[in-house]
Amino acid sequence: MPREFLQTPRVAYYSMEIALRSEVPTYSGGLGVLAGDTVRSAADLEIPLVTVSLVSRMGYFRQSLDASGRQHEEPDPWDPASIARPLQARVAVTIEGRDVWVCGWLYVVAGYTGCRTPVILLDTDVEENEPADRELTHYLYGGDQTYRFKQEIILGIGGTRLLHALGFRVLEYHMNEGHAALLCLELLDRYAYPEKALRPGDSRYDIPRIRNQCNFTTHTPVEAGHDKYPYDLVESVLGDFIDPVILKHLAGEDELNMTRLGLSLSDYINGVAKRHADTSQRMFPGYPIKAITNGVHPHTWTHAAFARLYDQRLTGWCHEPELLVRAECCVDDEAIWSAHETAKRELLDYVKTGTGKTLDPEVCTLGFARRMTAYKRPEMIFTDPGRLRAIAASQPLQIVLSGKAHPRDYDGKRAIESIFRHMQELADAITVVFLPDYNMDIAARLVAGVDLWLNTPLPPMEASGTSGMKAAFNGVPQFSVLDGWWAEGRLEGINGWAVGDGDPREDDASFLYDKLERVILPLYYKDRNGWIQVMKGAISKSASYFNSHRMMRRYTSDAYLR
Ligand SMILES: *Cc1c(COP(=O)(O)O)cnc(C)c1O
């Protein structure tokens, strides 16, 4: 490990997935993009972080869609040597009673101040390991429950041992979701009192010491998002690594709940938006759950045309995105509109090249792209195709969508097929485009190139959502259900609009149509100046606050330095 990274004590940040670059498939969606933005902001702000993740050599999956919208999945292999370098150290973890060797790749994220921050990608694909063990770090969110538990051993226990072996001095541990919570067991074991120092009845484990070093961020109210393992599986894979009585006390009596384990051993716990912290508090009573609302990385998500504008008028915005509050007074309307036209033209060209479909630059373009899964209700805009047609007859609109469904998320896959049916049905009235194989690059094009960003989750299931924040950096207003960050971020008609009132409702679609028809499209077509004021509102009221620089400064002051 280069000495530059070992000189400063660091916060160790663990994430199962991380979006380092668009084309490196070590991420599946929002959680990984957030992890990437976390590290990019840490580098810009010179916050001493070291990140641990898995190398995922076979990626998440590559999505292709046939004419009826059926999703086909292919492995998405990549070569870590193309962007990272192999580290010399290696450590062993015990899995099913045998040693599994874990080594790592060093990827360096550079901030614009020149600060470099290390990311370590764990890899078990070494000759000494048995063939099946060599594949443990291959597939992101692949395999069965046992495979997943083994991956979490590699991440939590293997990752912590490797940091130690490399010589990192870790002051604080930060778990990005429950996947990494086994790191707490490694720390309990590392700092256990020797048996002979104990009086009868005393615990070997120094729980307060561990809690003092650990921080936990929970990311979803969706039950399936919280990993749980039966104790017989835990015992057969992990053996007697930790006293089972203590483990049950910390992680749940009936099954090992990774979230509960992380919560029990962390003295700083947060949700990723204010509303999500409240929801999480109800799910996990007894643990004090604070809120640090997510953010997105300014430079990564701002189109070059807008970045140039901010560079000229709001010097320093990349370091202090708070300066964007001044956009309202310091940036001209014409300059905003012209930057937007550039981004829109680029998106339309990209769509034309990729799909052959022609979108009209004069037509109001709606964007919807994210993981395709039931609670995000991706089909909501198509609920009443007749109504949508009627609206578009007098005020034209076109829609661009993108998103992958997890290979076992059958509802998510059905949603894509249903979108394809609507796409064909509406073809004579509304152009609808679905871009396959959603990734960071497509996200960046979409959030900058559409006119309106749509989000329709079923409350309170959207913990934060971040794509609407990316849109805000490009002056694209959001039209969203009041859930996640939008519940605290929305200023009606100033930086965007609400769908519904924040309660889960069957009739959200009719709210959506009403507002689109009576408020949003009339503003777009009849009052361009008024529309540009909302674009400025998105920049000054949303982007200035909902960015990962603010988020990381908050983690530093509230969690790491507490
Ligand atoms: C930002 C992003 C997401 C997350 O979008 P949400 O609106 O938060 O669900 C998912 N995938 C990719 C590729 C992204 O860039």
Side-chain angles (χ1 to χ4, degrees):
M1 176 60 57
R3 187 162 326 130
E4 61 168 309
F5 299 129
L6 300 176
Q7 278 161 350
T8 354
R10 287 176 187 265
V11 176
Y13 177 74
Y14 290 66
S15 184
M16 185 79 130
E17 52 170 311
I18 184 164
L20 298 168
R21 300 187 188 189
S22 185
E23 70 283 7
V24 175
T26 50
Y27 63 101
S28 83
L31 185 71
V33 173
L34 180 83
D37 283 357
T38 295
V39 178
R40 286 181 275 275
S41 277
D44 286 349
L45 303 179
E46 306 187 29
I47 296 168
L49 208 71
V50 53
T51 299
V52 182
S53 189
L54 301 186
V55 72
S56 301
R57 282 170 182 269
M58 294 304 213
Y60 180 47
F61 68 89
R62 198 172 290 152
Q63 178 198 52
S64 59
L65 298 165
D66 65 21
S68 56
R70 253 195 312 264
Q71 173 174 295
H72 299 271
E73 297 129 18
E74 299 290 337
D76 194 3
W78 73 287
D79 176 13
S82 63
I83 59 159
R85 46 188 170 117
L87 293 167
Q88 293 310 316
R90 60 176 55 188
V91 295
V93 294
T94 307
I95 288 179
E96 291 165 347
R98 64 182 179 275
D99 279 347
V100 174
W101 290 96
V102 183
C103 54
W105 296 84
L106 173 66
Y107 177 82
V108 178
V109 175
Y112 60 79
T113 54
C115 176
R116 288 150 48 82
T117 176
V119 175
I120 292 167
L121 300 171
L122 304 172
D123 192 356
T124 60
D125 192 2
V126 292
E127 269 175 24
E128 293 83 340
N129 286 335
E130 288 185 14
D133 293 336
R134 293 180 68 159
E135 295 193 1
L136 286 178
T137 50
H138 274 13
Y139 300 96
L140 178 60
Y141 303 135
D144 60 6
Q145 202 183 24
T146 307
Y147 182 84
R148 176 75 155 251
F149 187 60
K150 291 175 182 174
Q151 285 194 324
E152 296 186 354
I153 292 175
I154 309 287
L155 181 67
I157 299 176
T160 306
R161 288 184 187 166
L162 192 62
L163 289 182
H164 198 64
L166 289 166
F168 281 101
R169 280 175 295 152
V170 177
L171 293 181
E172 292 281 320
Y173 293 86
H174 184 176
M175 292 165 257
N176 189 41
E177 195 48 287
H179 309 128
L182 298 177
L183 79 85
C184 301
L185 302 187
E186 170 64 10
L187 295 179
L188 282 175
D189 185 65
R190 182 189 296 172
Y191 297 118
Y193 300 114
E195 294 286 357
K196 58 179 187 301
L198 297 178
R199 286 173 312 199
D202 276 358
S203 167
R204 288 182 62 216
Y205 301 117
D206 190 351
I207 290 176
R209 176 171 183 171
I210 309 310
R211 294 188 72 239
N212 199 25
Q213 296 180 57
C214 289
N215 306 278
F216 187 91
T217 304
T218 175
H219 283 269
T220 181
V222 178
E223 263 313 315
H226 297 263
D227 286 331
K228 296 175 193 118
Y229 300 103
Y231 279 113
D232 50 359
L233 183 152
V234 173
E235 202 197 306
S236 73
V237 177
L238 202 54
D240 61 355
F241 181 56
I242 218 84
D243 179 341
V245 176
I246 301 286
L247 185 58
K248 287 184 177 172
H249 177 67
L250 295 168
E253 287 300 324
D254 306 325
E255 51 189 355
L256 191 164
N257 180 321
M258 294 290 282
T259 303
R260 206 164 272 283
L261 178 62
L263 295 176
S264 299
L265 287 165
S266 296
D267 70 351
Y268 184 86
I269 303 165
N270 73 293
V272 291
K274 291 181 174 65
R275 181 172 183 172
H276 174 238
D278 296 340
T279 307
S280 303
Q281 190 67 80
R282 281 192 295 278
M283 290 174 76
F284 299 101
Y287 300 98
I289 302 184
K290 307 235 171 42
I292 296 181
T293 302
N294 280 345
V296 299
H297 184 247
H299 194 258
T300 301
W301 297 108
T302 303
H303 187 279
F306 277 93
R308 263 195 303 278
L309 208 53
Y310 302 154
D311 281 343
Q312 286 162 9
R313 308 293 162 81
L314 303 163
T315 312
W317 70 281
C318 248
H319 187 68
E320 291 182 290
E322 299 91 315
L323 287 167
L324 296 172
V325 296
R326 301 166 67 88
E328 234 132 54
C329 312
C330 300
V331 187
D332 319 330
D333 291 5
E334 302 75 47
I336 296 262
W337 188 250
S338 146
H340 175 64
E341 283 186 311
T342 304
K344 188 169 182 178
R345 205 175 322 111
E346 280 175 24
L347 173 66
L348 302 200
D349 288 347
Y350 179 80
V351 167
K352 176 82 190 165
T353 311
T355 68
K357 289 201 187 185
T358 307
L359 294 168
D360 184 342
E362 300 303 318
V363 167
C364 187
T365 307
L366 276 59
F368 182 104
R370 46 185 52 84
R371 195 155 48 86
M372 290 286 151
T373 194
Y375 84 83
K376 295 196 182 247
R377 301 190 290 185
E379 308 147 81
M380 186 191 288
I381 180 91
F382 303 109
T383 307
D384 182 349
R387 181 83 199 272
L388 200 55
R389 257 173 205 282
I391 295 171
S394 54
Q395 306 177 95
L397 57 96
Q398 53 199 7
I399 308 171
V400 190
L401 304 105
S402 191
K404 296 176 177 182
H406 184 279
R408 281 194 297 273
D409 185 347
Y410 302 102
D411 290 334
K413 291 182 177 184
R414 268 192 292 277
I416 303 176
E417 290 171 42
S418 147
I419 290 169
F420 268 62
R421 277 195 299 278
H422 290 301
M423 185 154 76
Q424 281 142 15
E425 226 173 81
L426 288 165
D428 59 319
I430 300 172
T431 309
V432 180
V433 177
F434 198 108
L435 299 171
D437 209 31
Y438 191 43
N439 60 18
M440 278 178 84
D441 174 57
I442 296 177
R445 292 172 183 279
L446 277 175
V447 295
V450 300
D451 296 297
L452 183 68
W453 194 251
L454 187 65
N455 190 21
T456 49
L458 181 68
M461 305 313 266
E462 180 84 309
S464 164
T466 52
S467 55
M469 303 173 186
K470 301 169 190 168
F473 270 92
N474 300 286
V476 170
Q478 179 168 248
F479 183 28
S480 168
V481 167
L482 289 174
D483 200 13
W485 78 279
W486 200 232
E488 68 199 79
R490 186 255 343 203
L491 297 161
E492 186 69 15
I494 294 176
N495 59 356
W497 298 271
V499 176
D501 57 8
D503 289 328
R505 284 182 192 286
E506 289 295 319
D507 60 349
D508 274 342
S510 67
F511 272 92
L512 186 155
Y513 292 133
D514 286 348
K515 202 173 279 183
L516 198 57
E517 179 169 37
R518 293 177 198 154
V519 179
I520 299 176
L521 292 171
L523 189 70
Y524 184 85
Y525 285 113
K526 302 208 184 85
D527 180 6
R528 188 52 49 87
N529 181 52
W531 183 267
I532 294 171
Q533 300 324 303
V534 183
M535 294 180 71
K536 285 183 155 182
I539 299 164
S540 65
K541 307 291 193 292
S542 300
S544 64
Y545 181 84
F546 295 97
N547 58 73
S548 51
H549 282 12
R550 187 255 325 141
M551 177 185 85
M552 287 314 285
R553 288 177 169 124
R554 283 286 309 278
Y555 276 112
T556 303
S557 65
D558 296 13
Y560 307 154
L561 294 180
R562 160 194 37 91

